[in-house]
Amino acid sequence: MIEIGTQIDLSHPAGRVWRAVTDPGMLARWFTEAEAVADRPGRLLLHTAGLPGFDAAVEVEVTDRREPELIAVRCHEADRRTRLSCVITPTAEGCRLSVSETVEHGGWSAEQGVHREQCYQQALAGRLPALLDWLAFQQVDLRRDDAAPTAELPVTLLAGDGWAPPGRRRRTALVAVLGGAVLATGLAAWALVPADPPHRAAPDPVPLPADPTATGSPSRATPTARRTPTVAPSSARPSGTPTASPSRSASPSPSLPPSSTAELSARYETVSTRVFGYTGEVVVDNAAGTPARGWTVVVTLPQGSSVADVRGADWRQDGQSVVFTGSTVAPGRSQAIRFDVRASDPLTKAPEGCTVDGTPCAGL
């Protein structure tokens, strides 16, 4: 039996997480688009063909549903059949969402299984918490005048209140102002905290739907099974040994010698943005069909910016320069690097520069 899975602790109630997992409109915001299958009641078609680890779109049918604890579906993907389950368990801080998928017919390669599991991990750790925060801030209860403060966000929608007496309108304005002040303070504090992420190699990034909000919740994704990354680091390390944190000294940017073979090309794109940061992607192409070899990408960030959560390359940060290195790129193939940037300036949504083996990247 082949099984993959991951789990995440969320600071949201089980009911809200259940809605995000089971509502097709919400699912499209943090994972992929879903639509009803014609002439097949109760079935949905998930447009997963463009996601790493998936061969085609997946048609799902519900086999077990216990709101708000469990939903299990049977997935039909080309000639493969799997069983996917989502279990929601209440915790002291909110709830834990566990996702697992088991092959019932057919199978996938080890590399495809790793990519598929990482697809789930990134969706749960990135887009889902942001969507849940967005849902939470749509809700406020203006009628709890005598109730004691609670940790739960209330459930009355502002948009549905309609006309309110002058006193209530004043309370609405006051709540909006206070809420905005608290949110702005939190974002500012988050932006000023220096990031010190581990320096590690990771597999290819996972493309995701558009970010529904500007902030994310403090969630922790935990894979249920260890997988070997598919992208080999540029230098050998003993298995399981943590690497050093990226240097933050103000030393000058490294000087890279020109390549002795035909140059690789690269292009940069900002794939999503937040209030104090963004997610960038660099795709290294070997379209010329030159002999496969390693590569070095240098991204120059504005002063005060830092990189975290890099997927697709080994990396280190030295002042404003972030150096990404990776394994060979075969002729006619490409390698994608995706990374999160924390910026002190909310207007900063792209690096100042990008090169691959000394050649400027397209897109900047």
Side-chain angles (χ1 to χ4, degrees):
M1 177 183 296
I2 303 176
E3 181 174 353
I4 60 175
T6 185
Q7 66 183 25
I8 183 172
D9 290 335
L10 299 163
S11 57
H12 292 272
R16 187 176 298 136
V17 177
W18 175 266
R19 179 188 174 193
V21 170
T22 59
D23 184 289
M26 296 294 101
L27 193 64
R29 289 174 176 263
W30 67 270
F31 184 55
T32 190
E33 293 184 2
E35 62 179 349
V37 178
D39 302 326
R40 294 190 179 184
R43 291 201 177 192
L44 289 177
L45 184 66
L46 305 181
H47 295 276
T48 54
L51 300 181
F54 290 85
D55 294 326
V58 176
E59 184 176 315
V60 301
E61 58 176 329
V62 177
T63 59
D64 194 1
R65 178 187 176 101
R66 297 195 295 271
E67 184 177 354
E69 302 171 357
L70 166 71
I71 184 167
V73 298
R74 179 167 286 111
C75 305
H76 302 266
E77 178 191 1
D79 58 350
R80 181 187 301 118
R81 187 173 69 247
T82 63
R83 186 179 186 275
L84 177 70
S85 64
C86 299
V87 180
I88 303 173
T89 307
T91 64
E93 297 180 352
C95 68
R96 174 173 298 161
L97 174 61
S98 302
V99 176
S100 62
E101 186 173 18
T102 304
V103 176
E104 295 182 337
H105 176 74
W108 50 54
S109 65
E111 181 179 5
Q112 186 177 18
V114 169
H115 287 172
R116 197 179 186 102
E117 184 175 66
Q118 289 168 348
C119 178
Y120 293 136
Q121 291 174 8
Q122 188 175 12
L124 264 62
R127 296 288 185 261
L128 178 58
L131 172 65
L132 294 171
D133 285 348
W134 178 78
L135 289 174
F137 279 100
Q138 307 307 304
Q139 301 172 321
V140 65
D141 189 350
L142 302 178
R143 292 186 287 273
R144 294 188 177 182
D145 297 329
D146 301 324
T150 65
E152 290 283 335
L153 282 177
V155 296
T156 302
L157 293 178
L158 281 172
D161 283 347
W163 179 87
R168 179 163 295 175
R169 288 199 298 269
R170 287 194 294 272
R171 288 200 300 273
T172 303
L174 178 60
V175 169
V177 170
L178 291 177
V182 171
L183 179 59
T185 302
L187 288 173
W190 175 84
L192 293 176
V193 174
D196 193 17
H199 173 197
R200 65 187 186 278
D204 294 343
V206 179
L208 295 172
D211 197 341
T213 184
T215 62
S217 65
S219 303
R220 304 181 296 279
T222 307
T224 59
R226 293 186 178 272
R227 296 284 188 254
T228 303
T230 57
V231 179
S234 58
S235 60
R237 302 189 187 91
S239 175
T241 303
T243 57
S245 299
S247 170
R248 302 201 179 275
S249 62
S251 58
S253 301
S255 177
L256 299 175
S259 172
S260 59
T261 60
E263 295 177 344
L264 300 174
S265 63
R267 59 187 184 277
Y268 171 82
E269 179 184 2
T270 297
V271 296
S272 65
T273 61
R274 299 176 294 280
V275 175
F276 285 96
Y278 57 93
T279 298
E281 182 179 73
V282 177
V283 178
V284 179
D285 289 312
N286 190 359
T290 58
R293 60 185 176 85
W295 45 267
T296 300
V297 169
V298 178
V299 171
T300 304
L301 302 177
Q303 187 71 35
S305 299
S306 60
V307 161
D309 196 14
V310 176
R311 289 86 74 191
D314 195 17
W315 67 284
R316 72 179 188 276
Q317 181 166 354
D318 188 5
Q320 293 179 243
S321 297
V322 184
V323 180
F324 303 93
T325 55
S327 58
T328 58
V329 180
R333 304 296 296 272
S334 63
Q335 172 67 38
I337 317 162
R338 185 169 291 191
F339 51 91
D340 293 336
V341 176
R342 182 179 295 178
S344 58
D345 184 354
L347 299 181
T348 300
K349 302 303 177 188
E352 292 181 350
C354 171
T355 61
V356 53
D357 294 342
T359 301
C361 305
L364 281 177

